Amino acid sequence: MTAQFSKYLSSHALSDSDIDRISSLAIPRLLSRNDILLAEGSICRHKTFVVKGMLRIYGTHTDGGEHILQFSPENTWTLDAESYDRQIPSRFNIAAVEQSEVLLWLKADFNQLLAEIPSLKSLSEQLISRSVHNGRQRLLTVLSASPEEKYNDFITEFPALFNRLPLRMIAAYLGMSVKTLTRIRHAQLHR
Amino acid sequence: MTAQFSKYLSSHALSDSDIDRISSLAIPRLLSRNDILLAEGSICRHKTFVVKGMLRIYGTHTDGGEHILQFSPENTWTLDAESYDRQIPSRFNIAAVEQSEVLLWLKADFNQLLAEIPSLKSLSEQLISRSVHNGRQRLLTVLSASPEEKYNDFITEFPALFNRLPLRMIAAYLGMSVKTLTRIRHAQLHR
């Protein structure tokens, strides 16, 4: 499982010895579809890298529905930053969308790696900055776009994800009902 | 202007000598209402601390309207992280909601301070993590809540801001029309 991860780190300019060191502290885990990696109310103790498959992070609001913040396909990271940083109960869930292979690092281990390996630290800072930016961009889309624009943005941004996701999850990500999503798709197919 | 900032840093466990060093590289600036600190398309060259007043960061989408991502009142920081980190044109604007006093640091200077002062580095990491978290929480609210819930969340979370903001800005933050916002307020006042 770590070969794929080594390739990822190597493409981000980490040396072979750094990669070995980072991999040596990784805990591999297999997840079946719908397995929960982090449950709302529990503490996020790991950083997670998705080697294969796809996870989603979602919250439930007062309406009881699932609202998806982010999909994490292969070669991406996921966690609940607030729960992880402050070791407080998470308000979000992380679950497998499909059968997945992930690598986990305990917080103490990962902090050790960040202290030891400047290029991992720098990669980590890049990823956090991108995460802040993506969150803002996504917020802007959710606030401003029409349902049709949201749908088009999604298929432009994630062409490879569309066919791997059930419609109800795409709707839960876009903040619209499955009915609205189906109507938009139908209209576009018949254009 | 730096007395207020010193108090803020001191409450975050920075030493007097660190505070002096950080303040020595700050560029003070006064902004009138509606002054633009960062314009969409230009590069975000500074970190900004709001000493007095309030800024907002907003984007414009294909519909041409203003969509507010965040309000930054006194004792908070603001920037466009992606533009700042990568020195690429910003997709957002930062402007003064009211007459404001801010402190700016050039990126090279702030990086120097982060390298010199571990407790500033640690404060900075806390703020970034909180920013990721707030973005997620806000996204969840925008995706899931009814207009009434969004309004109630806002007045619960920012009781002190409500009276300082024009209705059109609250509407632009909540992702609803001024008409809807006015209807909700009216209904609550007459309950």
Side-chain angles (χ1 to χ4, degrees):
Chain A
M1 198 192 290
T2 54
Q4 170 76 11
F5 177 63
S6 301
K7 210 169 133 191
Y8 165 87
L9 284 185
S10 165
S11 76
H12 285 87
L14 276 92
S15 71
D16 287 353
S17 65
D18 289 342
I19 294 172
D20 287 347
R21 173 73 180 133
I22 298 166
S23 301
S24 73
L25 295 177
I27 307 162
R29 191 152 156 198
L30 298 175
L31 299 170
S32 300
R33 193 162 69 89
N34 295 329
D35 275 0
I36 304 258
L37 188 63
L38 173 71
E40 201 174 330
S42 61
I43 293 170
C44 182
R45 302 196 184 279
H46 302 95
K47 276 212 198 247
T48 301
F49 181 82
V50 183
V51 175
K52 203 179 149 192
M54 178 158 38
L55 308 188
R56 71 188 187 284
I57 179 162
Y58 63 97
T60 48
H61 201 72
T62 44
D63 63 0
E66 174 179 323
H67 298 280
I68 297 174
L69 303 178
Q70 195 168 35
F71 295 112
S72 305
E74 49 282 330
N75 292 322
T76 63
W77 300 81
T78 186
L79 49 53
D80 175 14
E82 194 188 41
S83 174
Y84 179 85
D85 290 334
R86 300 174 52 201
Q87 295 289 291
I88 57 171
S90 177
R91 286 191 264 182
F92 303 109
N93 305 274
I94 300 179
V97 172
E98 52 192 48
Q99 192 177 313
S100 301
E101 300 177 12
V102 300
L103 295 171
L104 311 175
W105 289 261
L106 283 166
K107 188 178 177 182
D109 288 343
F110 206 85
N111 283 349
Q112 181 60 38
L113 293 170
L114 289 173
E116 280 174 28
I117 305 171
S119 45
L120 181 64
K121 179 82 182 164
S122 138
L123 172 60
S124 173
E125 286 171 358
Q126 271 174 48
L127 292 170
I128 291 169
S129 145
R130 198 174 308 158
S131 173
V132 172
H133 172 75
N134 288 347
R136 287 187 158 177
Q137 193 56 43
R138 178 146 153 65
L139 185 56
L140 185 61
T141 302
V142 169
L143 280 174
S144 66
S146 68
E148 285 76 10
E149 288 170 320
K150 285 176 190 165
Y151 173 83
N152 288 333
D153 278 3
F154 184 82
I155 53 179
T156 308
E157 198 178 352
F158 304 114
L161 296 194
F162 195 87
N163 293 322
R164 290 164 64 181
L165 291 167
L167 277 187
R168 73 159 184 90
M169 285 192 195
I170 298 171
Y173 180 87
L174 296 176
M176 60 181 72
S177 66
V178 172
K179 200 173 155 187
T180 302
L181 178 59
T182 306
R183 179 179 58 69
I184 295 168
R185 292 192 71 201
H186 190 81
Q188 296 211 341
L189 289 171
H190 290 75
R191 205 180 273 165
Chain B
M1 199 192 289
T2 55
Q4 170 75 11
F5 178 63
S6 300
K7 209 168 135 193
Y8 164 87
L9 283 185
S10 164
S11 76
H12 284 86
L14 275 92
S15 72
D16 288 352
S17 65
D18 288 343
I19 293 173
D20 288 346
R21 173 73 179 131
I22 297 166
S23 302
S24 73
L25 295 178
I27 306 162
R29 190 152 157 197
L30 298 175
L31 299 170
S32 301
R33 193 162 69 89
N34 295 329
D35 273 1
I36 305 257
L37 188 63
L38 173 71
E40 200 174 331
S42 61
I43 292 171
C44 182
R45 303 197 183 278
H46 303 95
K47 276 212 199 246
T48 301
F49 181 82
V50 183
V51 175
K52 201 179 151 192
M54 178 160 36
L55 308 189
R56 71 188 188 284
I57 179 163
Y58 63 96
T60 47
H61 200 72
T62 45
D63 62 1
E66 174 178 322
H67 298 280
I68 296 174
L69 303 177
Q70 197 168 32
F71 295 113
S72 305
E74 50 283 330
N75 292 321
T76 62
W77 300 80
T78 186
L79 51 53
D80 175 14
E82 195 188 39
S83 174
Y84 180 84
D85 290 333
R86 300 174 53 202
Q87 295 288 290
I88 57 171
S90 177
R91 286 192 264 180
F92 303 110
N93 306 275
I94 300 178
V97 172
E98 52 191 48
Q99 191 176 311
S100 301
E101 301 176 10
V102 300
L103 295 171
L104 311 176
W105 288 261
L106 283 167
K107 189 179 176 181
D109 289 344
F110 205 86
N111 283 348
Q112 181 60 38
L113 293 170
L114 289 173
E116 281 174 26
I117 306 171
S119 44
L120 181 65
K121 179 82 182 163
S122 137
L123 172 60
S124 172
E125 285 171 359
Q126 272 174 47
L127 293 170
I128 290 168
S129 145
R130 198 173 309 157
S131 172
V132 171
H133 172 76
N134 288 347
R136 286 187 159 179
Q137 194 56 43
R138 177 144 155 67
L139 185 56
L140 185 60
T141 303
V142 169
L143 280 174
S144 66
S146 68
E148 285 76 9
E149 288 170 320
K150 285 176 189 163
Y151 172 83
N152 288 332
D153 278 4
F154 184 82
I155 53 179
T156 308
E157 198 179 352
F158 305 114
L161 296 194
F162 196 87
N163 293 323
R164 291 164 64 181
L165 291 167
L167 277 187
R168 72 158 186 92
M169 285 192 196
I170 299 171
Y173 180 86
L174 296 176
M176 60 180 71
S177 65
V178 172
K179 200 173 156 186
T180 301
L181 179 59
T182 307
R183 179 179 57 70
I184 294 170
R185 292 192 70 200
H186 190 83
Q188 297 211 342
L189 290 171
H190 289 76
R191 206 182 272 165

